[in-house]
Amino acid sequence: MSAPVRIHMDVDPGHDDALALFLAAGHPAVEVVSVSAVAGNQSLAKTAANALRVARFAGLRVPVAAGMDRPLVREAVHAPEIHGESGLDGPALPDPEPGLGLDPRHGVDLLTEAFSRPGEVTLVATGPLTNVAMALLRDPSLVQRIPRIVLMGGSVGLGNVTPAAEFNIFFDAEAARIVFRSGIPIVMMGLDVTHQALATPEAVEALRAAGRVGRVAAELLDFFGASYQRVFGFPAPPVHDACTVAYLIEPSLFTLRPMAVEVECLGPLTYGRTVCDVHGVTGRPPNAEVAMQLDAPAFWRLMVEAIARLG
Ligand code: BDR
Ligand code: CA
């Protein structure tokens, strides 16, 4: 078997961020080297505490640090209607063991340090892109050392937080613009594909039967599913963020299309929209591989197998 893909995860847990962390912890094809939390689904204090609890519950003993507590320019608008007041409502995760608390470093420093040597680590981002943009602003040479960013954000089609925009990009569009214009190769898991990663009742029950972590994953999806039913009328919740890690484990699950993607930062109705040049009409070179199709049954087999390995 080839060496695992080493990843730094930048997250805002978040139910689907938790599923992404569980998948990464459980699958031998990836190795998490460090985790930074960012404000997004909830305040930084909450997302950092959640990231730490989720990582430790999944057996990850790597550094977890708190990063940026607000977007670069705008005020924060969190998502309690989807993820609850804690940002991770539903099952109670245990407190981390003594000595395994948050790393004292700033999350942006931890992220930067993960890329001290070129090409060794892949960046996975499943929250707003504030930490990533701040790292690039502080140290522009990072562009040469981050070989690839696999991110959850944006949409070729409709948005979810506004008709035009997806939550992670809308939360900090100025940061997203910096990242999409950075020149770093980007794989974009937008709503077009993440809405195919639906946790059907069969998938949730398979997780519930898959051990200690699987049971908690299912309980998270019970809460998340009720939110998606109430807010969007979805029959089953999409586990957006887990698509990033699944792609690194098994790229053939996804169909990607190269595109030029720009982030709208001005329009009062369109702030945070990822403007995706599907037909190449702008003549701009592609800056992202955008995922369009998912093999959902194979995705869920991967999820359940990986999470079952965590016991
Ligand atoms: C994204 O927003 C958050 O609510 C989820 O964690 C995911 O990263 C989906 O739009
Ligand atoms: Ca997220």
Side-chain angles (χ1 to χ4, degrees):
M1 203 173 77
S2 50
V5 180
R6 305 181 77 221
I7 59 177
H8 173 94
M9 294 186 66
D10 189 70
V11 298
D12 69 331
H15 296 70
D16 52 329
D17 302 79
L19 271 282
L21 282 159
F22 288 165
L23 174 60
H27 204 289
V30 288
E31 178 193 344
V32 181
V33 298
S34 41
V35 178
S36 48
V38 66
N41 286 323
Q42 264 297 354
S43 67
L44 179 68
K46 293 178 182 177
T47 60
N50 293 342
L52 183 67
R53 279 204 175 84
V54 168
R56 300 299 181 245
F57 185 66
L60 292 170
R61 299 173 81 88
V62 300
V64 179
M68 297 294 291
D69 66 359
R70 48 161 294 168
L72 295 182
V73 178
R74 296 214 169 184
E75 293 302 316
V77 183
H78 304 300
E81 68 287 359
I82 302 292
H83 298 275
E85 273 311 313
S86 72
L88 200 60
D89 277 13
L93 289 170
D95 288 334
E97 297 160 52
L100 284 174
L102 282 175
D103 193 281
R105 281 169 285 186
H106 193 283
V108 174
D109 290 330
L110 183 65
L111 188 157
T112 304
E113 285 169 32
F115 298 94
S116 54
R117 283 192 295 276
E120 288 189 356
V121 175
T122 294
L123 178 54
V124 172
T126 64
L129 290 163
T130 320
N131 284 345
V132 182
M134 185 54 89
L136 294 174
L137 288 171
R138 285 199 331 164
D139 181 358
S141 73
L142 260 184
V143 167
Q144 273 90 55
R145 300 197 300 279
I146 301 180
R148 185 162 55 150
I149 303 175
V150 183
L151 63 87
M152 191 283 136
S155 174
V156 174
L158 302 176
N160 59 359
V161 66
T162 74
E166 180 279 329
F167 177 83
N168 285 341
I169 307 297
F170 177 85
F171 189 89
D172 194 345
E174 285 78 11
R177 173 180 278 195
I178 289 168
V179 173
F180 274 88
R181 289 185 171 180
S182 68
I184 299 170
I186 289 173
V187 175
M188 172 176 140
M189 295 287 155
L191 299 178
D192 319 282
V193 78
T194 67
H195 282 176
Q196 299 170 41
L198 295 177
T200 59
E202 297 72 37
V204 175
E205 292 322 309
L207 284 171
R208 209 183 304 279
R212 177 189 66 106
V213 178
R215 191 162 55 249
V216 164
E219 288 168 9
L220 287 168
L221 289 168
D222 292 340
F223 181 91
F224 199 45
S227 299
Y228 260 84
Q229 171 69 55
R230 189 179 63 252
V231 175
F232 297 112
F234 272 36
V239 294
H240 309 278
D241 294 342
C243 292
T244 57
V245 178
Y247 171 76
L248 287 169
I249 295 168
E250 190 48 75
S252 67
L253 296 179
F254 296 86
T255 307
L256 308 182
R257 282 180 69 167
M259 286 177 212
V261 179
E262 277 284 353
V263 178
E264 174 59 60
C265 293
L266 293 174
L269 299 177
T270 52
Y271 177 84
R273 178 161 186 78
T274 44
V275 179
C276 300
D277 189 3
V278 178
H279 300 296
V281 293
T282 63
R284 288 198 310 269
N287 59 344
E289 298 275 342
V290 178
M292 301 303 293
Q293 289 289 334
L294 169 69
D295 179 345
F299 169 84
W300 282 108
R301 281 196 293 277
L302 187 80
M303 288 287 288
V304 173
E305 273 170 34
I307 290 175
R309 276 194 202 103
L310 293 169

